[in-house]
Amino acid sequence: FLQGCLFSGCFNGGSCLPNGEKQTYSCSCKLPWTGDRCDIKMTATTCKEIYDNKFANDNRAYPLQVDSKSFLVYCHLTSLGACGEGGWTLVMKIDGSKLTFHYDANIWSNKETLNLDGGKTGFDSQETKLPTYWNTSFTKICLGMKIGEQNNFIPIDKSASSLYSLIADGTYRATSLGRDAWKKLIGSQASLQLNCNKEGFNVRSFRYDRSKARIGIISNNENDCRSADSRIGFGTGGFPSNELTCGNRARFADDDNGDKFITAMGYILVQ
C-alpha cells in the first residue's frame, strides 16, 4: 500500500497519507483539486454545488466561479443550527458597532466588494461583502447573529436571483417569520414593542428617521408603524440609536422585555 501511495497515488500536487492499520492511503488535495486522487478540478459556482457533489466536507474557503472570476469564499458545508443541512455560501458579515452597513450606506445599492480576505473565514469579527451579494441565486437565506460567544441562526425560505435584487432598489418586501423567530437571533435578552411588527427586506417606519432595517423587523408601542422605536435586524439605523447597525434596539418596550441596546456581529449566507 505504501508503494502504491508513492508511485500511483495523488495527482496535481496532492499529498499521500498512508494508513498502515487499514493497509490503504488517502489524498490531501490542493485547491482547486478534489476527488480520491486529486484528479477532479472543482468548478463550482456555489457552496451548495460543492456540498451536493461531495467535492469536500470541511467548513472553509473554496474557489467559486463568481462574476466570471474565481474567488475564495467561505463555505459552511456542515449543518448550521436552525438553518439545517450544509452547503451555505457566505454573502456578508456585519459589525453592528460600525457604520459600514448602516441602512443608508451605499454598500447596499452598489456592486463593490469589501475586504475579500474577510470572506475567506467563518463566524469571526471581520466585516466583508462578497460578489455573491449580486451574483448568487438562492432558495434559502441563513441569518446569524453573534453576541459574545453565542451564535444564533434562523432561516428564511426565499427565492431570488441575488440578495442584491431584494435590497438594492429600496423596495419593501415582506417576510412572515413572526416576531418570536426574529427574537431567536438575540436569545433570551431580546425585546420588541408589541405593535407594528413589520418584517422583511427594506423595512422602514412611516417616519424615515425612525427604526429601519435592510433585513429584519421593526415594532412600535402605538398600533401602527409610523414611528417604530424597536428593531432587530441587519443594516439597521434610525431613532432611538442610529449608530447601531446590527442587533437589537428596543425603547419603550416595558410590555415585552424592557429597553435594550444589543450590538451583534451579523452573518448572511445563502443556499
Side-chain angles (χ1 to χ4, degrees):
F1 77 97
L2 181 57
Q3 191 175 39
C5 180
L6 294 175
F7 295 106
S8 63
C10 308
F11 297 110
N12 299 301
S15 300
C16 195
L17 306 175
N19 187 322
E21 183 178 335
K22 294 184 178 180
Q23 296 288 297
T24 186
Y25 66 89
S26 61
C27 294
S28 176
C29 305
K30 292 184 177 180
L31 294 174
W33 297 96
T34 185
D36 292 340
R37 300 180 68 188
C38 305
D39 55 349
I40 300 173
K41 190 172 184 178
M42 197 184 305
T43 56
T45 59
T46 69
C47 299
K48 187 70 162 58
E49 289 180 41
I50 294 175
Y51 177 82
D52 288 343
N53 288 290
K54 297 181 171 58
F55 287 151
N57 52 27
D58 294 327
N59 299 324
R60 53 172 291 188
Y62 293 93
L64 298 182
Q65 294 296 317
V66 182
D67 201 15
S68 302
K69 298 178 182 178
S70 181
F71 292 90
L72 283 173
V73 175
Y74 176 77
C75 292
H76 199 90
L77 300 181
T78 59
S79 181
L80 188 52
C83 293
E85 67 176 16
W88 293 99
T89 302
L90 181 65
V91 174
M92 57 179 57
K93 299 190 289 191
I94 301 170
D95 185 341
S97 68
K98 298 180 179 179
L99 296 177
T100 314
F101 287 91
H102 187 277
Y103 185 97
D104 294 327
N106 290 332
I107 200 165
W108 295 102
S109 58
N110 66 35
K111 294 183 178 181
E112 299 174 6
T113 60
L114 171 73
N115 185 24
L116 289 174
D117 284 343
K120 301 174 186 177
T121 56
F123 306 119
D124 56 20
S125 59
Q126 297 185 79
E127 288 194 309
T128 189
K129 176 190 171 189
L130 300 174
T132 50
Y133 177 59
W134 62 88
N135 268 294
T136 302
S137 61
F138 54 83
T139 58
K140 291 179 69 176
I141 302 171
C142 183
L143 301 176
M145 286 191 183
K146 183 177 184 179
I147 301 165
E149 296 303 314
Q150 180 66 41
N151 288 332
N152 298 312
F153 296 94
I154 62 170
I156 300 178
D157 290 325
K158 183 72 174 179
S159 296
S161 60
S162 67
L163 194 59
Y164 175 92
S165 71
L166 294 178
I167 295 176
D169 64 2
T171 300
Y172 170 59
R173 295 175 172 90
T175 57
S176 56
L177 301 185
R179 54 186 282 122
D180 289 342
W182 291 100
K183 290 171 72 174
K184 288 178 181 178
L185 284 168
I186 305 298
S188 61
Q189 293 300 307
S191 186
L192 288 169
Q193 294 164 294
L194 298 185
N195 299 311
C196 177
N197 296 313
K198 183 179 181 181
E199 61 169 281
F201 304 89
N202 299 318
V203 187
R204 300 189 299 269
S205 302
F206 180 80
R207 287 179 52 180
Y208 193 82
D209 63 329
R210 293 299 180 118
S211 280
K212 47 196 172 184
R214 288 295 183 173
I215 307 174
I217 184 172
I218 62 173
S219 60
N220 200 11
N221 55 333
E222 290 91 8
N223 193 26
D224 57 47
C225 296
R226 289 184 59 84
S227 56
D229 306 302
S230 301
R231 65 190 185 245
I232 293 174
F234 304 76
T236 59
F239 181 87
S241 297
N242 191 49
E243 71 277 13
L244 191 150
T245 59
C246 184
N248 180 197
R249 181 65 172 109
R251 193 174 180 189
F252 310 126
D254 292 341
D255 289 339
D256 190 29
N257 205 16
D259 290 6
K260 299 293 180 183
F261 186 106
I262 301 173
T263 303
M265 189 71 199
Y267 310 104
I268 304 175
L269 305 94
V270 298
Q271 186 187 83

